[in-house]
Amino acid sequence: MMSRKMKNISFIGGVVFLFLLLWGAGSLADAPDGFSGFGQSTDISLDDNELVFSYYHNDDAALYTVPVSGGEAELLAKPDEGKSFLNPTFSPDGETIVFVEQWVEETEEDERQYSQLRMLDKSSQTVETLMNTSDYITEAAFAPDGESLYFLKASVYQNYSPIASERPHDFDIFRMDLESGETEQITDKQAYSMSSLEVTPDGKQLMYVTNDGQDQLVLHSLDDGTEETIVPEGDFASKAPIISSPTISPDGTYVVFSDVAATDENNTFVYEAFRMDLDTKQAEQLTSFYEYVSDPVFLHEQEKLIVTVDKNFAGADPDYSYWQISADGEERNRVTIEMPEENES
């Protein structure tokens, strides 16, 4: 969801306008110049043993793993200078990790963001390119059987409004068969925004976030292509929900996502995790960090999640840390990570 965020967002009026501003807080925004520190998104292996994440060193993000409980991080893959490895996701068997490689190329006229879909084989420590395209790939999600990969691809990278920075638009979902490499288009929307792609635990639906006047969750049937649109009901400080990084529980009964819980003394939005029952659509606040909480990820065998907390949301650079919380929000413990000396700044 890719690291730098628009800061100090206040009530300006209009949910769409707020969405345009806040979307820069998600995983697609650029990292700050010279930034060193943890990235925003993480994932957990199916056996609940490993946490994979990005770590920036002078703007370039490499991939690392660490025990879910914390400890010494292990370098998995380091990009070439000027590039970053982002949005990692484990395969169901834990043997491979798919991620997005992102970089910027400058010309005399302007500069442009590029990305490609890549896969790391953990045993051989080799990285292969799954898709290199002139379009912009933002994230991917494995099917539960591990045989297919779904991903989001945008066909343009530009700003449609003078109040918004350039970013990917005209999104659709695609599927790649990992054995043959063949790709098929799943949706035909050319959506202005589409994010947080996830496959439901039963493998029958795709879940993602889009905006049609307001943020909404969409469940897309892989059987017949029909879609169910969900607008969470809850006590959100933004009145209408501003949904960020939703994830579905392993049993498929509820969703945890980030949304606006309050505003601070500077009118800056305070994001917390919310839990929404899929039957009632009712959302209740789950965390009380009073910071920017995002990117929840479920452990598979325990009633726990990992969330990312930014303690410097209104500042120039993010200050991310990872926390393990119980599914009822009653318990929380920081995942303390010791980075290799080469990444100390």
Side-chain angles (χ1 to χ4, degrees), residues 179-338:
E179 182 176 359
S180 67
E182 294 182 357
T183 299
E184 63 174 326
Q185 187 168 340
I186 301 298
T187 63
D188 186 18
K189 294 178 176 293
Q190 294 185 317
Y192 178 83
S193 68
M194 191 180 283
S195 63
S196 303
L197 179 67
E198 189 166 308
V199 187
T200 57
D202 60 12
K204 295 181 179 180
Q205 295 175 298
L206 302 176
M207 184 177 73
Y208 63 90
V209 176
T210 190
N211 184 281
D212 186 13
Q214 64 178 335
D215 278 12
Q216 53 196 22
L217 285 172
V218 178
L219 291 173
H220 176 99
S221 170
L222 290 171
D223 180 36
D224 58 14
T226 58
E227 294 191 337
E228 176 187 3
T229 299
I230 300 172
V231 178
E233 299 178 8
D235 185 14
F236 307 114
S238 55
K239 307 308 178 186
I242 300 177
I243 306 166
S244 174
S245 54
T247 186
I248 193 166
S249 62
D251 64 6
T253 62
Y254 65 96
V255 171
V256 173
F257 59 94
S258 176
D259 212 311
V260 182
T263 56
D264 65 14
E265 62 276 9
N266 298 316
N267 260 357
T268 302
F269 281 163
V270 174
Y271 277 71
E272 300 285 358
F274 286 77
R275 172 173 169 157
M276 182 194 71
D277 184 279
L278 276 172
D279 286 334
T280 66
K281 312 303 186 287
Q282 186 65 41
E284 302 291 341
Q285 187 174 330
L286 188 63
T287 61
S288 298
F289 283 90
Y290 210 71
E291 303 285 356
Y292 179 87
V293 178
S294 68
D295 294 79
V297 184
F298 278 97
L299 276 74
H300 305 278
E301 302 297 332
Q302 305 178 56
E303 287 287 307
K304 296 180 179 180
L305 304 94
I306 299 290
V307 297
T308 302
V309 177
D310 183 3
K311 299 189 70 174
N312 194 35
F313 180 54
D317 293 343
D319 182 10
Y320 294 126
S321 58
Y322 309 133
W323 291 73
Q324 189 173 132
I325 66 170
S326 58
D328 59 9
E330 296 295 323
E331 300 177 12
R332 71 185 195 190
N333 293 285
R334 182 168 180 169
V335 181
T336 302
I337 300 175
E338 181 182 346

Side-chain angles (χ1 to χ4, degrees), residues 9 21 27 32 34 46 115 125 155 158 196 214-215 240 245 265 324 345:
I9 303 171
L21 290 174
S27 59
L46 191 62
S115 69
Q125 295 292 297
S155 60
Q158 65 186 64
S196 303
Q214 64 178 335
D215 278 12
S245 54
E265 62 276 9
Q324 189 173 132
S345 56

Side-chain angles (χ1 to χ4, degrees), residues 112-153:
R112 180 182 169 181
Q113 292 269 8
Y114 287 89
S115 69
Q116 60 182 351
L117 194 61
R118 308 198 72 184
M119 184 165 66
L120 166 72
D121 185 293
K122 288 186 64 184
S123 60
S124 66
Q125 295 292 297
T126 57
V127 176
E128 65 173 299
T129 299
L130 295 177
M131 176 165 288
N132 190 348
T133 172
S134 59
D135 297 329
Y136 195 86
I137 298 171
T138 57
E139 56 188 274
F142 279 97
D145 60 12
E147 296 178 359
S148 299
L149 192 70
Y150 296 91
F151 60 94
L152 294 179
K153 186 173 69 170

Side-chain angles (χ1 to χ4, degrees), residues 38-197:
F38 293 100
Q40 187 170 346
S41 64
T42 67
D43 196 27
I44 300 171
S45 59
L46 191 62
D47 59 11
D48 288 344
N49 287 335
E50 290 184 294
L51 180 74
V52 64
F53 61 96
S54 299
Y55 186 92
Y56 285 91
H57 184 65
N58 293 333
D59 275 351
D60 300 340
L63 292 182
Y64 292 81
T65 58
V66 70
V68 168
S69 59
E72 186 174 344
E74 177 185 351
L75 175 65
L76 286 182
K78 187 175 182 179
D80 294 334
E81 184 176 356
K83 296 186 176 182
S84 287
F85 293 163
L86 305 169
N87 290 352
T89 183
F90 275 106
S91 62
D93 63 9
E95 295 301 315
T96 59
I97 294 172
V98 166
F99 60 94
V100 173
E101 181 179 39
Q102 182 191 58
W103 70 98
V104 175
E105 291 187 8
E106 297 185 5
T107 66
E108 293 182 358
E109 293 80 20
D110 56 11
E111 63 180 32
R112 180 182 169 181
Q113 292 269 8
Y114 287 89
S115 69
Q116 60 182 351
L117 194 61
R118 308 198 72 184
M119 184 165 66
L120 166 72
D121 185 293
K122 288 186 64 184
S123 60
S124 66
Q125 295 292 297
T126 57
V127 176
E128 65 173 299
T129 299
L130 295 177
M131 176 165 288
N132 190 348
T133 172
S134 59
D135 297 329
Y136 195 86
I137 298 171
T138 57
E139 56 188 274
F142 279 97
D145 60 12
E147 296 178 359
S148 299
L149 192 70
Y150 296 91
F151 60 94
L152 294 179
K153 186 173 69 170
S155 60
V156 300
Y157 193 97
Q158 65 186 64
N159 61 321
Y160 285 144
S161 167
I163 65 170
S165 59
E166 289 188 349
R167 61 187 64 257
H169 298 295
D170 291 0
F171 279 96
D172 273 298
I173 301 172
F174 294 79
R175 174 189 171 273
M176 175 182 289
D177 183 290
L178 289 173
E179 182 176 359
S180 67
E182 294 182 357
T183 299
E184 63 174 326
Q185 187 168 340
I186 301 298
T187 63
D188 186 18
K189 294 178 176 293
Q190 294 185 317
Y192 178 83
S193 68
M194 191 180 283
S195 63
S196 303
L197 179 67

